Amino acid sequence: MTVDSVVRGTGPDPRVEAEVRGAALGQLLAGGPLAESVHVVLVLVVAALVWNSLPLARTFGWVGAVTAAAALRTWWRLGLGRRAATPEQALRGVRLTVAGVGLAWGFGAAAAIPELGVDQAALILVVLAGIVAGATGTLVGDRRSFRYLLITSLAPLPFGILLQGHSRIHWIAILLIALFAWGMDRVHRRAHRTFAERVRAAALLERSTQELARQHAYLDALIASTPVAIAVLDDRRSVRSVNAAFEALFGYSAAEVVGAGIDGLIVPESLRSESTELETRVRRGETVRVEIERMRKDGRRIQVRLSAAAVKAAADGALVALYEDISDRKAAEAAMREARDLAERVARARSAFLANMSHEIRTPMNAVLGFVELVLDTELAPEQRRALELVRTSSEALLTILNDILDYSKIEAEHLELESIPFDLPKVVHATATLLAVRAREKHLELTVDVPPEVPQMVRGDPTRVRQVLMNLIGNAIKFTEQGEVDVSASVIARDGDEAAVQFRVRDTGIGISAEQRGTIFQEFTQADASMTRRYGGTGLGLAISRRLVALMGGELAVTSEVGRGSEFTFALTFPLEAGGQATARATVSLGGRRLLVVDDNETNRRIVRDMLGAEGMAVHEAPRADAGLEALRRAARAGAPYDLAILDAQMPDQDGFELATAVRADRALTETRLLILTSAGQRGDGERCRQLGIQAYLTKPIARADLVEAVGTVLAGTASAPGTADLVTRHSIAESRHALRILLAEDNPVNQQVATAMLLKRGHHVDVVSNGREAVDAVARERYEVVLMDIQMPEMDGFEATEKIRALSQGRTLPIIALTAHALSGERERCLARGMSGYLAKPFKAHDLFAAVEGRVAQAPDTEAASSPAVDLAGFRRTMEEAGAAEAVDGILETFVATLPQRLEALVAAAGGTEAEPLERAAHAFKSAAGTIGASHLAALLEDMERAARDGDLAGARNKLEHVRGEARAALDYLRTATKGGKDG
């Protein structure tokens, strides 16, 4: 086995193996001088032993051969230093010289043994054995060199021994030589392996030591160069070492801090107890990260981020602490806080400015708009009417600009908050379109509104913002349309449980928008082109605000348009459905099965009327022209199935609605047919004309579904009237049939007092006026009012304090109180409601806004003087079961409830008498579920309170409610026995 083979088999690291080879070669060369001298000495000793036994020539030849081989080895070894030999070449030289020495000994001994006696031959063998044994040490670095010596020195001996004789002793000698050679080879192999492993281990140790030193040096350099201050502490909190960043941060040199206590160096005295607590946490194994104050050498305090941890590999309890200077960050945070505080102060100042500006502008405008509206309803000369119309138009334009600026400011400042209140969605759409119907009629445009019956009625959202978006879109459509129609529609595009997605669409036949202009119309202060601003007016904020409002409500405002053909704006909003609020319009008589003919040249109008009244069960037929309508009426009369009602459009080509009505009334076969006129452009004198023609109803478009159904029902409930005697049904006659209210107006501004009073008196209501909150409280204590209009800003006592005092009165607890305020900022409504008010109306208000707030609030207010609600809402339960298609099961369910109620009450009493809460909780839950199902809401609420108390472990509280439950249960039982046939057996 060679050095190379051993090296290749013992390790993969070539650098370590190269060191092993170098060590082996060095060992071979280092033992050369001694071995060469020993060989010469031993050959002389052997020559002395055989001097008389061998011929002198043979003796001198043996001595000369060995001496020459040793000299050759010495010469080669000495010359190796002068030659630039590679390790492989040097190793080959060693092997050859060793083989030469072995050959000299072996062949010399083999030639001498036949001439010698057995004892002398044995001495020679002993000498050779010594040489081989010594070589296991001098040649330990190379297996091949040892084997060369072993073979060359021992292989010739058997030949010499056999030449001496063939006796048993000779064969034993040969055998011993062979065994000796085998044994020496194994000894050398083991020694060589031990040598190689020792050299390899030493090399690896040296390399590991060097690598460790290098890593230590790298780590020291890393710590020294890191920008974070580092300190290593011992178990006594003394500093063992610091880096350059620590010196720079705290101003100490390493010599000053090493060995000193860390507290005395950098910890302020007031924070040392906290520092001790941090150390305790670190020694428990926690890694501490805190932002804390430390002190420099010059006494200046700095903010640092301290990260500390125990050195787990250290047995002496060392800690490492990192200090990061965060003074700049803290300064930046302080600056940011100051900037935020400044921004908040600016925002508050801006909000206050906007509120004050809103109040100061809206208050006089309220008077202007209110009085103009009142004066316009009186008899005026044409010039006076034109002047007042101009005043009203200019005031409304100014108010629109003000609202746009306020809304835009609130949106930009992210101060605009959306409401989430129940409202009538179809009513909002129709009311919004109705407000703009006059402008449409002035331009001779057809304004249609289509809200099909499947659109949910009561939803939850922000009606003000929905109305604002629709108002802007419809207003723009009318503004930019010279002829044709404006169509407003709402339709359900998706339903998901308690939510409905409604798509709103405003379509016109106006000038249209080019593709290039569509990219900019939603930008602030931008219209389709600059010339439009001059021609049509406007701030250019309307669509920008509308798009932002739609986005805030969760939708996206989109537009499709073609120049010269018109535009269509659409957006979809998702509304939560208001439970129990999906009421339908109710007529004074049933409309199911009634026959109706709609005569209108506009297909959209016909479809809208068909959808509205078809949903009520009416059989709706259509005619596109007056002559076709008249023929349809006559054909139906001849067939014995006349129409109950004909709805006629007032504006039709060739023959208008009034002319058609004249023809109908002239036909004796059609005298029983009731007539209703729909007009887009009402004129003075139309009402009298209708009465003269025997027309029963006269309504303006767009018309809300509920209003149309109510008007149709009212017409069908009456009889066909002869010309001149008709009792005409109009919007005003329906409104006048409403209940007159007793209203208290608390307002300090005399002009606003007159405006609101005039509007309400004209509506038919009774109004008392007070000038401050204290008078309002006294008035409510003295008189019975159905609604209070409360100004917020009043002398002596403001509206909020007055509301609080009114609520403390017995008659004021449920009294509707509507806030009147000129503040139009977000949050004002919430503030009013939070202070106990029932509603909110911003100044300046239009008459219809005031009427809706007053009359709608009264309709919602509970009547405490009315009879108390029944113990069981049977009507609601029956309605629920009818909607589910299970009306026939109602009586059986009620009978079961009546029969099991005593047992349920007994189970409840038994559970209340025990010591465990769980049985009482279960009994109350089961009883509550049954009571809630049939509509016994009072009983269910009491049982829910009992169940909650039992669940919380409050047995005493649950037992205290037992008597109330018994009383309510008896009331429910008595009511059911009286109201249902199922109680007769009870």
Side-chain angles (χ1 to χ4, degrees), residues 423-430 433 448-457 459 466 470 474 487-495 501-507 569-573 575 604 607-608 611-612 705:
F423 69 96
D424 189 326
L425 179 58
K427 185 175 180 180
V428 166
V429 177
H430 282 289
T448 63
V449 181
D450 182 15
V451 184
E454 61 267 18
V455 173
Q457 183 171 350
V459 298
V466 173
L470 289 175
I474 299 171
D487 180 33
V488 183
S489 67
S491 60
V492 176
I493 56 176
R495 279 185 182 266
V502 179
Q503 184 178 62
F504 299 87
R505 180 174 62 90
V506 177
R507 179 184 59 82
F569 287 83
T570 59
F571 63 95
L573 300 177
F575 297 102
T604 304
R607 176 176 57 81
I608 291 173
D611 291 345
M612 286 181 175
R705 177 171 174 267

Side-chain angles (χ1 to χ4, degrees), residues 450-659:
D450 182 15
V451 184
E454 61 267 18
V455 173
Q457 183 171 350
M458 295 304 297
V459 298
R460 180 170 287 274
D462 192 332
T464 302
R465 298 307 174 185
V466 173
R467 184 184 298 110
Q468 181 177 352
V469 173
L470 289 175
M471 183 81 75
N472 184 274
L473 297 180
I474 299 171
N476 281 349
I478 295 173
K479 180 193 297 186
F480 296 109
T481 302
E482 298 301 331
Q483 61 181 1
E485 66 179 16
V486 175
D487 180 33
V488 183
S489 67
S491 60
V492 176
I493 56 176
R495 279 185 182 266
D496 184 12
D498 295 334
E499 291 185 336
V502 179
Q503 184 178 62
F504 299 87
R505 180 174 62 90
V506 177
R507 179 184 59 82
D508 63 61
T509 56
I511 60 175
I513 308 169
S514 66
E516 296 79 10
Q517 294 165 344
R518 286 199 296 272
T520 62
I521 59 172
F522 292 114
Q523 296 178 5
E524 295 82 355
F525 309 107
T526 303
Q527 290 186 342
D529 60 48
S531 63
M532 288 187 178
T533 303
R534 293 173 177 263
R535 180 180 176 187
Y536 295 102
T539 62
L541 281 175
L543 286 178
I545 293 173
S546 297
R547 189 175 206 180
R548 298 284 286 273
L549 289 175
V550 170
L552 285 174
M553 291 186 286
E556 182 180 1
L557 182 59
V559 60
T560 57
S561 182
E562 184 177 348
V563 176
R565 301 290 296 274
S567 306
E568 179 176 299
F569 287 83
T570 59
F571 63 95
L573 300 177
T574 300
F575 297 102
L577 302 180
E578 186 65 15
Q582 309 308 319
T584 57
R586 290 181 295 177
T588 54
V589 297
S590 173
L591 302 184
R594 297 299 186 103
R595 287 169 51 79
L596 167 70
L597 178 67
V598 181
V599 184
D600 196 318
D601 63 303
N602 188 288
E603 182 181 359
T604 304
N605 280 336
R606 296 199 306 272
R607 176 176 57 81
I608 291 173
V609 174
R610 182 183 69 235
D611 291 345
M612 286 181 175
L613 298 178
E616 299 297 322
M618 297 192 74
V620 182
H621 299 264
E622 303 174 30
R625 299 183 312 279
D627 57 348
L630 183 60
E631 178 57 31
L633 289 170
R634 289 171 175 170
R635 188 167 56 248
R638 288 194 301 268
Y643 287 103
D644 298 291
L645 174 67
I647 296 180
L648 314 179
D649 181 32
Q651 291 83 30
M652 289 187 292
D654 299 332
Q655 190 176 15
D656 64 20
F658 290 104
E659 293 172 345

Side-chain angles (χ1 to χ4, degrees), residues 5-23:
S5 65
V6 172
V7 170
R8 283 194 298 269
T10 56
D13 192 338
R15 292 177 293 179
V16 173
E17 301 310 320
E19 292 188 20
V20 173
R21 287 195 297 270

Side-chain angles (χ1 to χ4, degrees), residues 322 531 539 767 851 928:
L322 283 70
S531 63
T539 62
V767 184
F851 301 150
K928 176 196 73 175

Side-chain angles (χ1 to χ4, degrees), residues 19 201-211:
E19 292 188 20
L204 289 174
L205 180 61
E206 178 63 24
R207 290 184 59 79
S208 298
T209 303
Q210 293 175 355
E211 180 64 21

Side-chain angles (χ1 to χ4, degrees), residues 749-767:
N749 188 300
V751 176
N752 288 342
Q753 289 177 354
Q754 295 179 48
V755 170
T757 302
M759 289 180 177
L760 293 170
L761 290 175
K762 184 176 180 181
R763 185 74 166 177
H765 301 305
H766 305 288
V767 184

Side-chain angles (χ1 to χ4, degrees), residues 898-922:
V898 169
T900 59
L901 188 146
Q903 289 87 347
R904 292 184 184 276
L905 197 56
E906 289 174 8
L908 194 67
V909 172
T915 58
E916 297 293 330
E918 186 179 357
L920 182 56
E921 180 187 350
R922 288 200 304 269

